[in-house]
Amino acid sequence: MLNRTLVSSSSVSLLPNSKPFFSVKNLSGFRSSSFSGGFIRRINHKPLCVMTPNLTPRAMAAQQLENADQLIDSVETFIFDCDGVIWKGDKLIEGVPETLDMLRAKGKRLVFVTNNSTKSRKQYGKKFETLGLNVNEEEIFASSFAAAAYLQSINFPKDKKVYVIGEEGILKELDLAGFQYLGGPDDGKKQIELKPGFLMEHENDVGAVVVGFDRYFNYYKIQYGTLCIRENPGCLFIATNRDAVTHLTDAQEWAGGGSMVGALVGSCQREPLVVGKPSTFMMDYLSDKFGIEKSQICMVGDRLDTDILFGQNGGCKTLLVLSGVTSISMLESPENKIQPDFYTSKISDFLSLKAANV
């Protein structure tokens, strides 16, 4: 369920039992926001609709997947996370090509959604191709694309700039969307020489700071982003995701984009607007783009707090695979409050469980 709040430039009306948790201002010709747990979407220039995901987890324990056909036949579309589901690092997970081919043969729509913002959709298309998978660019949705799509959805002014703490994927998607930007990997080479009286300058026309995973993260970027967010009126603070860890290699887990976002949260004392999972922004975008009923979608992922929560917030069926971040002990821990509809070891279980039920 979603709490809806209609926002205009002059008034805020809340549904019963909802609480104000954000501020919306009309500055420099565009709407800016500061809130956590939701997103803003402009619909045909009507008042903005703020949707707040209900984070109350499902109480019923997850069922181990036993009848793959039953799940496959119950939905039209499968949304797959990538890291930990399709691949780990640059290594394809066993059985993935055959599983995807089987689902396509059954007429299922396949969509691939990743919180990793280091690549653009086009770059991810090349990675799928390198791994021997035939995936169309239109089937790929990365959080780098989501950041640009969100700015388009709120009519972010083209005369404003975006400061990027992140990698090439965000820059490419912003460029394709026609937005001006600065920062990115090049600022990873910059250093601050602290000396008495030093004042760091920043551009006053930066209207948004987008933070994603960044292997070139440094103090210069933290300070520059902080100055923009704190001193530029109405500057948006957008995070592609808040993942604690990521799979840079198949040997171990590595610090994720959430660590970069956390540094700015600490310095700005402000929560970001998250466009990646588990925010429902990408789910709503996909549903609108393809005309999909959310009840006809199954979200498949390896993370409880992003993938599974993303599916649950969107009203979809959910399948957890244990080929990535989440182990069976983590799933069954009394401390875990997020339960998927089903769980299985890897997506190729669709093939073996089909055979077992023939």
Side-chain angles (χ1 to χ4, degrees), residues 51-70:
M51 297 184 178
T52 311
N54 180 356
L55 300 182
T56 303
R58 298 177 180 178
M60 186 177 295
Q63 301 177 48
Q64 185 170 6
L65 185 65
E66 295 180 350
N67 190 330
D69 276 336
Q70 186 175 24

Side-chain angles (χ1 to χ4, degrees), residues 262-281:
L264 271 292
V265 170
S267 61
C268 298
Q269 292 296 290
R270 176 173 159 185
E271 292 297 315
L273 185 153
V274 181
V275 294
K277 299 173 291 186
S279 161
T280 57
F281 176 75

Side-chain angles (χ1 to χ4, degrees), residues 6-156:
L6 293 181
V7 181
S8 69
S9 60
S10 60
S11 66
V12 174
S13 60
L14 296 175
L15 289 182
N17 301 321
S18 59
K19 298 178 180 179
F21 60 102
F22 60 93
S23 63
V24 177
K25 301 178 182 178
N26 215 357
L27 294 169
S28 305
F30 72 102
R31 297 185 185 273
S32 64
S33 61
S34 173
F35 65 95
S36 62
F39 70 91
I40 293 181
R41 184 162 56 124
R42 182 184 295 277
I43 304 175
N44 298 327
H45 304 286
K46 295 179 181 179
L48 297 178
C49 181
V50 178
M51 297 184 178
T52 311
N54 180 356
L55 300 182
T56 303
R58 298 177 180 178
M60 186 177 295
Q63 301 177 48
Q64 185 170 6
L65 185 65
E66 295 180 350
N67 190 330
D69 276 336
Q70 186 175 24
L71 176 58
I72 293 170
D73 294 341
S74 70
V75 296
E76 297 176 355
T77 300
F78 282 90
I79 298 180
F80 292 100
D81 177 46
C82 296
D83 299 323
V85 178
I86 304 299
W87 59 64
K88 273 191 172 183
D90 291 321
K91 184 177 179 181
L92 194 65
I93 293 175
E94 182 183 1
V96 166
E98 298 84 356
T99 304
L100 300 184
D101 287 345
M102 179 273 291
L103 292 173
R104 290 191 191 277
K106 293 179 75 69
K108 304 301 174 182
R109 178 186 284 109
L110 306 184
V111 179
F112 302 87
V113 176
T114 175
N115 266 357
N116 192 327
S117 62
T118 60
K119 295 181 175 64
S120 65
R121 292 201 294 174
K122 188 176 185 67
Q123 288 172 311
Y124 269 112
K126 291 180 180 179
K127 177 167 184 173
F128 276 101
E129 184 180 355
T130 300
L131 293 172
L133 299 176
N134 184 21
V135 175
N136 190 294
E137 185 177 321
E138 292 299 308
E139 298 174 316
I140 304 168
F141 292 86
S143 61
S144 53
F145 172 79
Y150 174 77
L151 290 172
Q152 287 181 316
S153 76
I154 61 169
N155 294 330
F156 184 78

Side-chain angles (χ1 to χ4, degrees), residues 113 117 187 222 347:
V113 176
S117 62
D187 278 5
I222 297 175
I347 66 168

